């Protein structure tokens, strides 16, 4: 005879103590199942870590007398080319595919229309051939000038606020919100965060999958995931993967 607990995976409790240049994050204990985990499984705990780091940065700015301009209903910045790490792309792909059919089709149609506009403007081809940071800035500016709202924007508010990308969580400004209509030419004062989760997880993915570090434009995530499903199906020991993630996310990467 077996009990319900016999079917439960073994759990490991990991205590997280993270110091950042902006202070210490609240100590947290997380229960990680000792089962195979995919890249997409990293995203929810990383979102919580990102929230904590951003909150410390915002508190730093407020303590220095600055005010945060970003508020619900201000969707001006939601016309930018949002970069995703591969785990985020797989995670959001899963979210989109889990939506009720009617809502899922609306999102997929938006993505199709945006992709056509990007293709017509030559942006997709340029993305495949991008070589340096300055070229990326020019391309990001050209995309912004298309005036395409984020596929998840609803009434100037984020329709996926709880699961929004790391890049969106980290994008907060103290400059007047009216300057955001042209963030590439106006003096936008972005709040500096001590850890960039998008980049950290891109490098973790590169190490795990033996590929080059990469970022995926959110508007192209469906195509990218379809082309890279094998990576999305790869698994690693859950506890090891979580601990390795923390090393990259906190800057304390350990060489194997």
């Amino acid at each position: 005879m077996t009990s319900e607990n016999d079917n439960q995976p073994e759990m490991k409790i990991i205590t997280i103590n993270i110091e950042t240049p902006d202070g210490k994050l609240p100590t947290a204990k997380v229960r990680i199942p000792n089962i195979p985990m995919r890249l997409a499984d990293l995203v929810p705990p990383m979102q919580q870590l990102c929230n904590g780091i951003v909150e410390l940065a915002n508190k730093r700015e407020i303590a220095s007398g600055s005010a945060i301009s970003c508020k619900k209903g201000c969707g001006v910045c939601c016309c930018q080319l949002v970069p995703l790490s591969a785990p985020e792309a797989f995670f959001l792909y899963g979210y989109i595919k889990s939506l009720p059919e009617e809502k899922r089709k609306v999102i997929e149609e938006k993505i199709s229309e945006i992709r056509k506009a990007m293709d017509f403007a030559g942006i997709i081809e340029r993305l495949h051939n991008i070589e340096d940071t300055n070229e990326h800035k020019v391309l990001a500016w050209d995309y912004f000038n298309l005036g395409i709202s984020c596929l998840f924007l609803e009434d100037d508010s984020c329709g996926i606020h709880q699961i929004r990308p790391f890049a969106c969580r980290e994008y907060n400004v103290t400059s007047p919100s009216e300057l955001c209509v042209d963030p590439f030419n106006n003096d936008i004062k972005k709040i500096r965060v001590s850890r960039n989760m998008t980049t950290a997880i891109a490098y973790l993915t590169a190490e795990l999958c033996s590929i080059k570090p990469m970022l995926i434009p959110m508007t192209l995530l469906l195509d990218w995931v379809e082309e890279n499903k094998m990576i999305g199906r790869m698994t690693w020991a859950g506890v090891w993967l979580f601990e390795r993630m923390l090393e990259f996310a906190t800057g304390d990467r350990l060489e194997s």
Side-chain angles (χ1 to χ4, degrees), residues 46-79:
M46 284 299 299
Q47 289 173 341
Q48 297 305 309
L49 178 57
C50 183
N51 288 347
I53 292 172
V54 170
E55 184 178 353
L56 286 176
N58 289 349
K59 286 181 176 178
R60 179 196 69 223
E61 294 298 320
I62 292 172
S64 69
S66 298
I68 300 172
S69 301
C70 305
K71 295 179 176 63
K72 182 178 181 179
C74 178
V76 178
C77 67
C78 299
C79 291

mmCIF file of all heavy atoms in Angstrom, residues 46-79:
data_model
loop_
_atom_site.group_PDB
_atom_site.id
_atom_site.type_symbol
_atom_site.label_atom_id
_atom_site.label_comp_id
_atom_site.label_asym_id
_atom_site.label_seq_id
_atom_site.Cartn_x
_atom_site.Cartn_y
_atom_site.Cartn_z
ATOM 1 N N MET A 46 13.241 33.246 -10.914
ATOM 2 C CA MET A 46 14.065 34.367 -11.358
ATOM 3 C C MET A 46 13.277 35.676 -11.366
ATOM 4 O O MET A 46 13.814 36.748 -11.107
ATOM 5 C CB MET A 46 14.610 34.091 -12.759
ATOM 6 C CG MET A 46 15.754 33.092 -12.783
ATOM 7 S SD MET A 46 17.160 33.674 -11.833
ATOM 8 C CE MET A 46 17.563 35.164 -12.711
ATOM 9 N N GLN A 47 11.991 35.594 -11.655
ATOM 10 C CA GLN A 47 11.153 36.793 -11.622
ATOM 11 C C GLN A 47 11.102 37.362 -10.212
ATOM 12 O O GLN A 47 11.168 38.579 -10.016
ATOM 13 C CB GLN A 47 9.748 36.458 -12.121
ATOM 14 C CG GLN A 47 9.664 36.177 -13.607
ATOM 15 C CD GLN A 47 8.296 35.687 -14.042
ATOM 16 O OE1 GLN A 47 7.495 35.227 -13.223
ATOM 17 N NE2 GLN A 47 8.014 35.755 -15.329
ATOM 18 N N GLN A 48 11.001 36.484 -9.210
ATOM 19 C CA GLN A 48 10.970 36.941 -7.824
ATOM 20 C C GLN A 48 12.292 37.575 -7.425
ATOM 21 O O GLN A 48 12.324 38.604 -6.741
ATOM 22 C CB GLN A 48 10.635 35.767 -6.893
ATOM 23 C CG GLN A 48 9.259 35.167 -7.123
ATOM 24 C CD GLN A 48 8.156 36.216 -7.037
ATOM 25 O OE1 GLN A 48 8.075 36.982 -6.083
ATOM 26 N NE2 GLN A 48 7.298 36.253 -8.053
ATOM 27 N N LEU A 49 13.385 36.970 -7.856
ATOM 28 C CA LEU A 49 14.703 37.530 -7.563
ATOM 29 C C LEU A 49 14.870 38.880 -8.237
ATOM 30 O O LEU A 49 15.360 39.842 -7.631
ATOM 31 C CB LEU A 49 15.790 36.560 -8.042
ATOM 32 C CG LEU A 49 17.244 37.006 -7.861
ATOM 33 C CD1 LEU A 49 17.540 37.321 -6.402
ATOM 34 C CD2 LEU A 49 18.194 35.931 -8.385
ATOM 35 N N CYS A 50 14.437 38.975 -9.483
ATOM 36 C CA CYS A 50 14.516 40.235 -10.227
ATOM 37 C C CYS A 50 13.698 41.315 -9.534
ATOM 38 O O CYS A 50 14.155 42.462 -9.395
ATOM 39 C CB CYS A 50 14.023 40.016 -11.653
ATOM 40 S SG CYS A 50 14.149 41.461 -12.730
ATOM 41 N N ASN A 51 12.505 40.959 -9.059
ATOM 42 C CA ASN A 51 11.668 41.932 -8.348
ATOM 43 C C ASN A 51 12.390 42.507 -7.136
ATOM 44 O O ASN A 51 12.337 43.710 -6.876
ATOM 45 C CB ASN A 51 10.364 41.272 -7.894
ATOM 46 C CG ASN A 51 9.414 40.985 -9.039
ATOM 47 O OD1 ASN A 51 9.594 41.486 -10.145
ATOM 48 N ND2 ASN A 51 8.414 40.160 -8.780
ATOM 49 N N GLY A 52 13.059 41.631 -6.389
ATOM 50 C CA GLY A 52 13.759 42.087 -5.199
ATOM 51 C C GLY A 52 14.899 43.029 -5.520
ATOM 52 O O GLY A 52 15.100 44.051 -4.839
ATOM 53 N N ILE A 53 15.654 42.722 -6.558
ATOM 54 C CA ILE A 53 16.778 43.566 -6.964
ATOM 55 C C ILE A 53 16.288 44.924 -7.463
ATOM 56 O O ILE A 53 16.848 45.973 -7.132
ATOM 57 C CB ILE A 53 17.616 42.848 -8.039
ATOM 58 C CG1 ILE A 53 18.324 41.641 -7.407
ATOM 59 C CG2 ILE A 53 18.623 43.794 -8.681
ATOM 60 C CD1 ILE A 53 19.025 40.749 -8.408
ATOM 61 N N VAL A 54 15.215 44.915 -8.250
ATOM 62 C CA VAL A 54 14.651 46.170 -8.762
ATOM 63 C C VAL A 54 14.093 47.017 -7.624
ATOM 64 O O VAL A 54 14.262 48.244 -7.602
ATOM 65 C CB VAL A 54 13.550 45.874 -9.808
ATOM 66 C CG1 VAL A 54 12.776 47.136 -10.167
ATOM 67 C CG2 VAL A 54 14.169 45.267 -11.069
ATOM 68 N N GLU A 55 13.456 46.372 -6.661
ATOM 69 C CA GLU A 55 12.899 47.110 -5.526
ATOM 70 C C GLU A 55 13.992 47.821 -4.735
ATOM 71 O O GLU A 55 13.823 48.977 -4.326
ATOM 72 C CB GLU A 55 12.134 46.155 -4.608
ATOM 73 C CG GLU A 55 11.443 46.866 -3.447
ATOM 74 C CD GLU A 55 10.648 45.927 -2.570
ATOM 75 O OE1 GLU A 55 10.519 44.738 -2.917
ATOM 76 O OE2 GLU A 55 10.149 46.384 -1.528
ATOM 77 N N LEU A 56 15.126 47.169 -4.541
ATOM 78 C CA LEU A 56 16.247 47.805 -3.844
ATOM 79 C C LEU A 56 16.753 49.015 -4.632
ATOM 80 O O LEU A 56 17.067 50.058 -4.045
ATOM 81 C CB LEU A 56 17.383 46.806 -3.631
ATOM 82 C CG LEU A 56 17.185 45.735 -2.564
ATOM 83 C CD1 LEU A 56 18.380 44.774 -2.550
ATOM 84 C CD2 LEU A 56 17.003 46.362 -1.185
ATOM 85 N N ALA A 57 16.849 48.868 -5.957
ATOM 86 C CA ALA A 57 17.316 49.982 -6.796
ATOM 87 C C ALA A 57 16.346 51.154 -6.729
ATOM 88 O O ALA A 57 16.746 52.316 -6.642
ATOM 89 C CB ALA A 57 17.487 49.503 -8.239
ATOM 90 N N ASN A 58 15.050 50.859 -6.762
ATOM 91 C CA ASN A 58 14.047 51.923 -6.690
ATOM 92 C C ASN A 58 14.097 52.630 -5.336
ATOM 93 O O ASN A 58 13.971 53.863 -5.261
ATOM 94 C CB ASN A 58 12.651 51.344 -6.930
ATOM 95 C CG ASN A 58 12.440 50.922 -8.374
ATOM 96 O OD1 ASN A 58 13.245 51.234 -9.249
ATOM 97 N ND2 ASN A 58 11.364 50.204 -8.635
ATOM 98 N N LYS A 59 14.279 51.863 -4.267
ATOM 99 C CA LYS A 59 14.381 52.464 -2.929
ATOM 100 C C LYS A 59 15.596 53.378 -2.839
ATOM 101 O O LYS A 59 15.544 54.425 -2.194
ATOM 102 C CB LYS A 59 14.464 51.368 -1.867
ATOM 103 C CG LYS A 59 13.149 50.653 -1.607
ATOM 104 C CD LYS A 59 13.306 49.600 -0.517
ATOM 105 C CE LYS A 59 11.967 48.943 -0.197
ATOM 106 N NZ LYS A 59 12.094 47.888 0.829
ATOM 107 N N ARG A 60 16.690 52.982 -3.490
ATOM 108 C CA ARG A 60 17.891 53.815 -3.519
ATOM 109 C C ARG A 60 17.598 55.160 -4.160
ATOM 110 O O ARG A 60 17.998 56.221 -3.644
ATOM 111 C CB ARG A 60 18.998 53.085 -4.298
ATOM 112 C CG ARG A 60 20.303 53.875 -4.426
ATOM 113 C CD ARG A 60 21.169 53.265 -5.514
ATOM 114 N NE ARG A 60 20.602 53.473 -6.837
ATOM 115 C CZ ARG A 60 20.542 52.547 -7.788
ATOM 116 N NH1 ARG A 60 20.964 51.319 -7.566
ATOM 117 N NH2 ARG A 60 20.041 52.842 -8.971
ATOM 118 N N GLU A 61 16.884 55.147 -5.278
ATOM 119 C CA GLU A 61 16.571 56.387 -5.982
ATOM 120 C C GLU A 61 15.614 57.263 -5.168
ATOM 121 O O GLU A 61 15.785 58.489 -5.094
ATOM 122 C CB GLU A 61 15.953 56.069 -7.344
ATOM 123 C CG GLU A 61 16.906 55.384 -8.304
ATOM 124 C CD GLU A 61 18.110 56.242 -8.636
ATOM 125 O OE1 GLU A 61 17.940 57.467 -8.821
ATOM 126 O OE2 GLU A 61 19.227 55.696 -8.707
ATOM 127 N N ILE A 62 14.620 56.640 -4.561
ATOM 128 C CA ILE A 62 13.664 57.403 -3.751
ATOM 129 C C ILE A 62 14.362 58.039 -2.549
ATOM 130 O O ILE A 62 14.102 59.193 -2.195
ATOM 131 C CB ILE A 62 12.515 56.483 -3.291
ATOM 132 C CG1 ILE A 62 11.671 56.060 -4.508
ATOM 133 C CG2 ILE A 62 11.626 57.186 -2.266
ATOM 134 C CD1 ILE A 62 10.638 55.003 -4.203
ATOM 135 N N ALA A 63 15.285 57.293 -1.937
ATOM 136 C CA ALA A 63 16.031 57.813 -0.785
ATOM 137 C C ALA A 63 16.898 59.004 -1.168
ATOM 138 O O ALA A 63 17.174 59.885 -0.329
ATOM 139 C CB ALA A 63 16.885 56.706 -0.181
ATOM 140 N N SER A 64 17.310 59.044 -2.447
ATOM 141 C CA SER A 64 18.154 60.163 -2.896
ATOM 142 C C SER A 64 17.332 61.361 -3.348
ATOM 143 O O SER A 64 17.880 62.373 -3.775
ATOM 144 C CB SER A 64 19.051 59.700 -4.050
ATOM 145 O OG SER A 64 18.287 59.436 -5.216
ATOM 146 N N GLY A 65 15.993 61.243 -3.255
ATOM 147 C CA GLY A 65 15.126 62.365 -3.597
ATOM 148 C C GLY A 65 14.483 62.283 -4.962
ATOM 149 O O GLY A 65 13.744 63.192 -5.361
ATOM 150 N N SER A 66 14.731 61.209 -5.703
ATOM 151 C CA SER A 66 14.140 61.064 -7.032
ATOM 152 C C SER A 66 12.761 60.424 -6.928
ATOM 153 O O SER A 66 12.448 59.745 -5.953
ATOM 154 C CB SER A 66 15.041 60.195 -7.922
ATOM 155 O OG SER A 66 16.306 60.797 -8.109
ATOM 156 N N ALA A 67 11.961 60.637 -7.947
ATOM 157 C CA ALA A 67 10.635 60.027 -8.017
ATOM 158 C C ALA A 67 10.586 59.126 -9.247
ATOM 159 O O ALA A 67 11.124 59.470 -10.304
ATOM 160 C CB ALA A 67 9.547 61.089 -8.107
ATOM 161 N N ILE A 68 9.951 57.985 -9.111
ATOM 162 C CA ILE A 68 9.834 57.048 -10.227
ATOM 163 C C ILE A 68 8.649 57.455 -11.085
ATOM 164 O O ILE A 68 7.528 57.591 -10.600
ATOM 165 C CB ILE A 68 9.660 55.612 -9.706
ATOM 166 C CG1 ILE A 68 10.867 55.233 -8.851
ATOM 167 C CG2 ILE A 68 9.495 54.642 -10.871
ATOM 168 C CD1 ILE A 68 10.731 53.935 -8.124
ATOM 169 N N SER A 69 8.909 57.653 -12.372
ATOM 170 C CA SER A 69 7.871 58.160 -13.275
ATOM 171 C C SER A 69 6.949 57.070 -13.799
ATOM 172 O O SER A 69 5.825 57.357 -14.222
ATOM 173 C CB SER A 69 8.533 58.877 -14.460
ATOM 174 O OG SER A 69 9.342 59.951 -14.009
ATOM 175 N N CYS A 70 7.414 55.822 -13.799
ATOM 176 C CA CYS A 70 6.647 54.729 -14.389
ATOM 177 C C CYS A 70 5.420 54.399 -13.545
ATOM 178 O O CYS A 70 5.537 54.162 -12.337
ATOM 179 C CB CYS A 70 7.523 53.492 -14.525
ATOM 180 S SG CYS A 70 9.041 53.795 -15.456
ATOM 181 N N LYS A 71 4.258 54.407 -14.195
ATOM 182 C CA LYS A 71 2.996 54.134 -13.492
ATOM 183 C C LYS A 71 2.080 53.311 -14.393
ATOM 184 O O LYS A 71 2.235 53.288 -15.616
ATOM 185 C CB LYS A 71 2.290 55.440 -13.110
ATOM 186 C CG LYS A 71 3.038 56.290 -12.096
ATOM 187 C CD LYS A 71 2.273 57.564 -11.803
ATOM 188 C CE LYS A 71 2.953 58.389 -10.717
ATOM 189 N NZ LYS A 71 4.297 58.836 -11.117
ATOM 190 N N LYS A 72 1.118 52.642 -13.782
ATOM 191 C CA LYS A 72 0.128 51.896 -14.537
ATOM 192 C C LYS A 72 -0.636 52.847 -15.456
ATOM 193 O O LYS A 72 -1.037 53.931 -15.043
ATOM 194 C CB LYS A 72 -0.854 51.197 -13.585
ATOM 195 C CG LYS A 72 -1.885 50.348 -14.293
ATOM 196 C CD LYS A 72 -2.789 49.640 -13.307
ATOM 197 C CE LYS A 72 -3.809 48.773 -14.028
ATOM 198 N NZ LYS A 72 -4.703 48.054 -13.096
ATOM 199 N N GLY A 73 -0.792 52.454 -16.704
ATOM 200 C CA GLY A 73 -1.494 53.297 -17.662
ATOM 201 C C GLY A 73 -0.572 54.107 -18.543
ATOM 202 O O GLY A 73 -1.008 54.717 -19.512
ATOM 203 N N CYS A 74 0.730 54.105 -18.233
ATOM 204 C CA CYS A 74 1.706 54.807 -19.074
ATOM 205 C C CYS A 74 2.416 53.751 -19.916
ATOM 206 O O CYS A 74 3.349 53.106 -19.454
ATOM 207 C CB CYS A 74 2.707 55.574 -18.214
ATOM 208 S SG CYS A 74 3.972 56.417 -19.185
ATOM 209 N N GLY A 75 1.962 53.573 -21.127
ATOM 210 C CA GLY A 75 2.519 52.524 -21.969
ATOM 211 C C GLY A 75 3.402 53.033 -23.079
ATOM 212 O O GLY A 75 3.606 52.348 -24.087
ATOM 213 N N VAL A 76 3.966 54.240 -22.904
ATOM 214 C CA VAL A 76 4.779 54.839 -23.964
ATOM 215 C C VAL A 76 5.991 53.971 -24.297
ATOM 216 O O VAL A 76 6.335 53.787 -25.469
ATOM 217 C CB VAL A 76 5.246 56.256 -23.557
ATOM 218 C CG1 VAL A 76 6.125 56.864 -24.635
ATOM 219 C CG2 VAL A 76 4.050 57.149 -23.303
ATOM 220 N N CYS A 77 6.631 53.427 -23.271
ATOM 221 C CA CYS A 77 7.853 52.648 -23.508
ATOM 222 C C CYS A 77 7.541 51.263 -24.081
ATOM 223 O O CYS A 77 8.461 50.520 -24.448
ATOM 224 C CB CYS A 77 8.663 52.513 -22.226
ATOM 225 S SG CYS A 77 7.868 51.519 -20.954
ATOM 226 N N CYS A 78 6.268 50.911 -24.154
ATOM 227 C CA CYS A 78 5.887 49.569 -24.608
ATOM 228 C C CYS A 78 5.838 49.453 -26.124
ATOM 229 O O CYS A 78 5.062 48.658 -26.682
ATOM 230 C CB CYS A 78 4.541 49.179 -23.994
ATOM 231 S SG CYS A 78 4.556 49.114 -22.199
ATOM 232 N N CYS A 79 6.648 50.260 -26.796
ATOM 233 C CA CYS A 79 6.809 50.142 -28.248
ATOM 234 C C CYS A 79 8.249 49.772 -28.581
ATOM 235 O O CYS A 79 8.653 49.831 -29.748
ATOM 236 C CB CYS A 79 6.455 51.461 -28.939
ATOM 237 S SG CYS A 79 4.703 51.881 -28.888
#
